[in-house]
Amino acid sequence: MSANEKKSTHGSCPLPFNHSDVIRLSHGAGGQMTSNLIRDVILRHFGNPILDKLGDSAELHVQNRRLAFTTDSFVVNPLFFPGGNIGDLAVNGTVNDLAVSGARALYLSIGFIIEEGLAVGEFDTIVETMQRAAGAAGVTIVTGDTKVVDHGKGDKIFINTSGIGVFDHDFILDPRHVEPSDVVIVSGPIGNHGIAVLSKREGFSFGTDVVSDTAPLGGLTEALLRACGNRLRVMRDPTRGGIAASLNEFAERAQVEIELDETSLPIDPPVAGACELLGIDPLHVANEGKLVVIVAAELAEEALAALRELEIGREACVIGRVGGKRAPGRVVLRTLLGVRRVVDPPVGEQLPRIC
Amino acid sequence: MSANEKKSTHGSCPLPFNHSDVIRLSHGAGGQMTSNLIRDVILRHFGNPILDKLGDSAELHVQNRRLAFTTDSFVVNPLFFPGGNIGDLAVNGTVNDLAVSGARALYLSIGFIIEEGLAVGEFDTIVETMQRAAGAAGVTIVTGDTKVVDHGKGDKIFINTSGIGVFDHDFILDPRHVEPSDVVIVSGPIGNHGIAVLSKREGFSFGTDVVSDTAPLGGLTEALLRACGNRLRVMRDPTRGGIAASLNEFAERAQVEIELDETSLPIDPPVAGACELLGIDPLHVANEGKLVVIVAAELAEEALAALRELEIGREACVIGRVGGKRAPGRVVLRTLLGVRRVVDPPVGEQLPRIC
């Protein structure tokens, strides 16, 4: 059936896109264009109460057990970058989507789409890296699929990972639970993954090598759940679209304003330098081993202590606060000079294929 | 880490491939080359008791519940072909992997990898088709991911689907349960999907249009389980590599010989004609809505009756028999002339990107 035929079956109901529209890189960048595509095409057809929540993972009830289920495809370019490769990214990415939804990751599936001509040795290295990452995250790779496409019809390798986790508690994490005066915490310096990939891809050098922060977050999320219980409002791993995308989504869903304090943002100097040089806002840059969480103000110290007990949370800090209903749906940054500027969600194509 | 560095960490243990080896289309065709890649790279690193079974889906135990989990990526070229498109293929393919392992499919995840430039209208048609296929199969699409790659770095769209199912019974299906004198049954005519895709791709016309048989198989598999219980040995949806790949795997795992009767093979005349013209063995051609099962001889009539009660199983028939341990691991075909010829597993590149 052609798109034309389909159009006619809708009769008088206009489609939310034009017939000449095509998919652009920005549709995959995690910003506004991605949201539009999800709303106009994907949810328009697939919409159901579980999917509509658009959580990091879907919460399922299977024979009275509460499970988490999630999927992610990885198309990072280049495949190998300082601090990791597409393999650990693919394992940690899905493990982390389960972790930030409050679940404990158990099982992974892996789907390889390989372009003809990839060196078997490179594939072997990626597979070995995935196994090591799975071991570090405590998950088992239980099923898989391998497809090969003609040379020139792929880009070396794409990897899909899907994951199943279980909930060991009854807490419900939801951005709509966010309340005025809650605090925003990040588990460590931001922007490292995006700058590491970009510098490798474009051949930039920023004096010191910036290394991807790819890591499993289950230790941090479980520590936070133990420390804060249901006063932990929501957690997210700010990947595509960075901190800006995650916090704008929280602000929008909770209909609150979130105010960040620029002096508190943890950014490693080489990352800050690279962002300045490239004219990129570090709040828009992808992270792969960081957590951004919102927690009730009275639990902030407990949350920080829980995060800092683990090596990857050692630099955890408060970066902002939920500022009430004055400008609902907005994220603002109070700059070094005390000026308030709006932190927009990323629109799109700034940093494609970062994960 | 480069492949070279990795190599050195293995010290004196030689790698099962050469440094100059590259991935070829045949590695993804479901035949011998695919098996080698899985053994030499994927299982070498990932190997664990669940994955090693290489079932159509993994059997998991989550908090005392028995679940099935599977994944499949779809790279069919062209996207649209007589009888379907990549969308229903992606839903039915994963639903069927759950069904043939004896599970009832419940939930799907979807991962889109879209090449920049795909018409939004075509994407919309594919998504709409997927929703219709999910409804027909009784599964809910609960989570998803969308990535976009640069023009020339993909091929319009690739789709991964992963699925979760439950077991409503205690039977264990396993090719190792196959015994001499068991019968081999197929649920209907073979080869339609492969020839439909191939004819569209290459612009062949075979007089009558051959239409893909893509369909959900849950109705058939549940009827068989009810009719045969644990005397149903094993089921498979013979996709990549066709009936030949499935039966060779059964023969190998059970260490028996399987003898097919050429006069019994159900092949629609246009499919037979196309195979003859192209010099392809119909036993090697992919199916997407067919079931091949092995069942105890005394239950053959019950199995056929159960299959034939459903429209898509109306043409179910016995195509062969398990012939003992004389030539263990072999599939042979008794031809029209009474000659026995070996049915080899497909080696590889004959019909790439058929699903």
Side-chain angles (χ1 to χ4, degrees):
Chain A
M1 186 170 62
S2 75
N4 252 342
E5 285 168 317
K6 196 208 134 280
K7 214 164 178 175
S8 70
T9 66
H10 275 254
S12 58
C13 179
L15 288 174
F17 52 84
N18 294 317
H19 195 59
S20 57
D21 288 352
V22 298
I23 304 278
R24 302 181 189 285
L25 277 176
S26 47
H27 282 113
Q32 196 53 50
M33 298 278 283
T34 304
S35 300
N36 294 350
L37 187 71
I38 290 173
R39 181 193 62 212
D40 294 345
V41 180
I42 295 177
L43 290 185
R44 200 172 107 254
H45 293 299
F46 290 162
N48 64 59
I50 303 176
L51 184 67
D52 292 351
K53 286 185 188 163
L54 295 178
D56 290 289
S57 70
E59 189 186 319
L60 309 178
H61 292 265
V62 179
Q63 297 179 327
N64 296 323
R65 295 292 189 268
R66 208 170 137 230
L67 301 182
F69 184 30
T70 193
T71 192
D72 219 336
S73 300
F74 295 82
V75 299
V76 65
N77 168 28
L79 299 180
F80 296 82
F81 45 81
N85 67 48
I86 190 171
D88 33 14
L89 218 56
V91 169
N92 289 333
T94 287
V95 161
N96 290 347
D97 280 344
L98 294 170
V100 297
S101 63
R104 181 164 50 87
L106 291 179
Y107 296 112
L108 287 191
S109 70
I110 294 182
F112 294 113
I113 299 177
I114 304 175
E115 183 194 14
E116 192 184 14
L118 178 73
V120 175
E122 279 198 309
F123 180 53
D124 190 73
T125 301
I126 291 165
V127 170
E128 188 187 34
T129 305
M130 294 185 85
Q131 178 57 28
R132 206 179 313 120
V139 294
T140 309
I141 293 162
V142 291
T143 187
D145 176 61
T146 305
K147 292 291 191 306
V148 181
V149 297
D150 332 53
H151 183 70
K153 300 293 186 184
D155 197 7
K156 298 189 183 87
I157 189 168
F158 302 138
I159 304 178
N160 176 282
T161 49
S162 302
I164 296 178
V166 287
F167 293 94
D168 295 323
H169 55 79
D170 294 326
F171 312 131
I172 307 283
L173 303 173
D174 191 318
R176 288 169 303 183
H177 296 173
V178 169
E179 286 180 19
S181 93
D182 284 351
V183 300
V184 183
I185 292 175
V186 72
S187 63
I190 64 171
N192 297 59
H193 175 73
I195 295 301
V197 172
L198 202 67
S199 62
K200 172 83 185 196
R201 182 160 76 205
E202 312 292 346
F204 298 138
S205 167
F206 305 113
T208 319
D209 257 2
V210 177
V211 170
S212 169
D213 58 350
T214 183
L217 294 171
L220 293 180
T221 58
E222 285 167 32
L224 277 176
L225 282 162
R226 275 195 303 273
C228 304
N230 61 7
R231 278 178 290 179
L232 177 63
R233 313 297 192 198
V234 66
M235 307 190 274
R236 187 69 35 108
D237 55 328
T239 57
R240 278 188 293 180
I243 296 274
S246 297
L247 291 184
N248 268 284
E249 191 203 321
F250 293 167
E252 171 70 32
R253 300 288 288 279
Q255 283 297 296
V256 295
E257 181 186 277
I258 294 176
E259 185 177 293
L260 300 179
D261 174 15
E262 191 172 20
T263 59
S264 310
L265 289 180
I267 309 177
D268 289 337
V271 172
C275 286
E276 208 176 304
L277 201 71
L278 300 167
I280 300 172
D281 185 341
L283 291 168
H284 284 176
V285 179
N287 312 274
E288 288 292 334
K290 292 297 163 1
L291 205 57
V292 60
V293 307
I294 299 187
V295 65
E298 69 271 21
L299 266 291
E301 284 310 316
E302 284 81 350
L304 286 172
L307 291 169
R308 288 175 182 159
E309 232 168 69
L310 288 157
E311 180 58 28
I312 57 166
R314 210 170 32 83
E315 295 180 67
C317 59
V318 172
I319 60 169
R321 197 163 284 275
V322 178
K325 308 262 179 188
R326 202 172 42 161
R330 273 214 169 155
V331 179
V332 297
L333 180 74
R334 186 173 293 278
T335 67
L336 298 170
L337 303 171
V339 180
R340 278 164 49 99
R341 76 160 174 87
V342 173
V343 179
D344 285 317
V347 176
E349 69 289 345
Q350 203 172 34
L351 297 171
R353 300 187 57 189
I354 219 73
C355 62
Chain B
M1 185 169 67
S2 76
N4 251 342
E5 285 168 318
K6 195 204 134 282
K7 213 163 176 175
S8 69
T9 67
H10 275 254
S12 58
C13 178
L15 288 174
F17 52 84
N18 294 318
H19 195 59
S20 57
D21 287 353
V22 298
I23 305 278
R24 303 182 188 284
L25 277 176
S26 48
H27 282 112
Q32 196 54 49
M33 296 278 285
T34 305
S35 301
N36 294 350
L37 187 70
I38 289 172
R39 182 194 61 212
D40 294 345
V41 180
I42 295 176
L43 290 185
R44 199 172 106 254
H45 293 298
F46 291 161
N48 63 61
I50 304 176
L51 184 67
D52 292 349
K53 288 185 186 160
L54 294 179
D56 290 290
S57 69
E59 189 186 319
L60 309 178
H61 291 265
V62 178
Q63 297 179 328
N64 296 322
R65 296 291 187 270
R66 206 170 139 230
L67 300 183
F69 184 30
T70 191
T71 194
D72 218 337
S73 299
F74 295 82
V75 300
V76 64
N77 169 29
L79 299 180
F80 296 82
F81 45 81
N85 66 48
I86 190 172
D88 33 14
L89 217 57
V91 169
N92 289 333
T94 288
V95 161
N96 291 348
D97 280 344
L98 294 170
V100 298
S101 62
R104 181 164 49 87
L106 291 179
Y107 297 111
L108 287 191
S109 69
I110 294 183
F112 294 113
I113 299 177
I114 305 175
E115 184 194 15
E116 192 184 15
L118 178 72
V120 175
E122 279 198 310
F123 180 53
D124 190 73
T125 301
I126 291 165
V127 171
E128 189 187 33
T129 305
M130 295 185 85
Q131 177 58 28
R132 207 179 311 119
V139 293
T140 309
I141 293 163
V142 291
T143 187
D145 176 62
T146 305
K147 291 292 193 305
V148 182
V149 297
D150 333 53
H151 182 69
K153 298 295 186 184
D155 198 7
K156 298 190 184 88
I157 189 168
F158 302 139
I159 304 178
N160 175 282
T161 48
S162 302
I164 296 177
V166 286
F167 293 93
D168 296 324
H169 55 80
D170 294 325
F171 312 131
I172 307 283
L173 304 173
D174 191 317
R176 288 168 301 182
H177 297 174
V178 169
E179 286 181 17
S181 92
D182 285 351
V183 301
V184 184
I185 292 175
V186 73
S187 63
I190 63 171
N192 298 58
H193 175 73
I195 295 300
V197 171
L198 203 66
S199 61
K200 171 83 185 197
R201 182 161 76 204
E202 312 292 346
F204 298 138
S205 168
F206 305 111
T208 319
D209 258 4
V210 177
V211 170
S212 169
D213 58 348
T214 180
L217 294 171
L220 294 179
T221 57
E222 285 167 32
L224 278 175
L225 282 162
R226 274 193 305 272
C228 305
N230 61 8
R231 278 177 291 177
L232 179 63
R233 313 296 192 200
V234 66
M235 308 190 273
R236 187 69 36 109
D237 56 329
T239 58
R240 278 187 292 181
I243 297 274
S246 297
L247 292 185
N248 268 285
E249 191 203 321
F250 294 166
E252 170 70 30
R253 300 288 288 280
Q255 282 297 297
V256 296
E257 181 188 276
I258 294 176
E259 184 178 291
L260 300 179
D261 173 14
E262 189 172 22
T263 60
S264 310
L265 288 180
I267 308 177
D268 289 337
V271 172
C275 285
E276 208 176 305
L277 201 72
L278 300 168
I280 301 173
D281 185 342
L283 291 167
H284 283 175
V285 179
N287 313 274
E288 287 292 335
K290 292 296 163 358
L291 206 56
V292 61
V293 307
I294 299 187
V295 64
E298 69 273 20
L299 267 289
E301 285 309 315
E302 284 80 351
L304 286 172
L307 291 170
R308 288 175 183 160
E309 233 170 68
L310 288 157
E311 180 57 30
I312 57 167
R314 212 169 31 82
E315 297 179 65
C317 59
V318 172
I319 60 170
R321 199 164 282 276
V322 178
K325 310 259 178 191
R326 201 173 41 161
R330 272 216 171 157
V331 179
V332 296
L333 181 75
R334 186 172 292 279
T335 68
L336 299 169
L337 303 172
V339 180
R340 279 166 48 101
R341 76 160 174 87
V342 172
V343 179
D344 286 317
V347 177
E349 68 292 342
Q350 203 172 34
L351 297 169
R353 298 187 58 188
I354 218 74
C355 62

